[in-house]
Amino acid sequence: MPYKPKVPCRHPGCPNLVPAGQKYCEEHKRMHPEENRTAAARGYNSRWRRESKKFLALHPLCEECLRHGIATPATVVDHIVPHRGDPKLFWDRSNWQALCKKCHDKKTGREDSNPTYRY
């Protein structure tokens, strides 16, 4: 049975190839610890679920849709500035916004395609 072809490392400017299913080469894997941890290890645990549910009860409409004059129920609490593992930024409620899944996926896709690195 043929093997899947290797894919480029996702770190910007890295020419290394990695096995299919991996995102980063060994050289850059340590620079992206958020990719290797479970959701619970990144802070999305029972406390987060409880607090985000409270936040959505207070902010029931998608803030991005409202900017365009559309009333859409919010289903996701988003971090306006990506926390990238910073617990202070993670729990800062002024950094939270209510979004529908579609708006959240668009925003996260934009941020993940052009990440900000702090190293």
Side-chain angles (χ1 to χ4, degrees), residues 91-110:
W91 291 107
D92 181 5
R93 287 178 182 259
S94 66
N95 188 39
W96 294 2
Q97 66 180 341
L99 296 177
C100 64
K101 181 167 177 13
K102 183 177 177 182
C103 289
H104 180 263
D105 291 351
K106 281 184 193 177
K107 178 182 178 286
T108 303
R110 280 193 310 268

Side-chain angles (χ1 to χ4, degrees), residues 16-95:
N16 296 331
L17 295 175
V18 297
Q22 288 186 17
K23 293 182 180 182
Y24 301 101
C25 63
E26 291 301 319
E27 180 182 348
H28 295 114
K29 195 178 285 186
R30 62 183 166 74
M31 293 181 181
H32 303 275
E34 69 281 356
E35 297 284 341
N36 302 322
R37 296 183 298 157
T38 64
R42 292 190 321 263
Y44 298 99
N45 52 23
S46 61
R47 178 181 173 205
W48 168 257
R49 288 189 297 274
R50 185 174 55 251
E51 296 299 321
S52 64
K53 196 178 285 189
K54 288 179 195 175
F55 189 83
L56 288 173
L58 295 172
H59 305 89
L61 297 176
C62 173
E63 294 179 27
E64 187 62 30
C65 289
L66 281 176
R67 287 188 196 108
H68 300 287
I70 304 166
T72 308
T75 55
V76 180
V77 176
D78 175 63
H79 291 93
I80 299 167
V81 176
H83 60 86
R84 305 275 188 235
D86 179 357
K88 186 175 181 187
L89 193 55
F90 185 93
W91 291 107
D92 181 5
R93 287 178 182 259
S94 66
N95 188 39

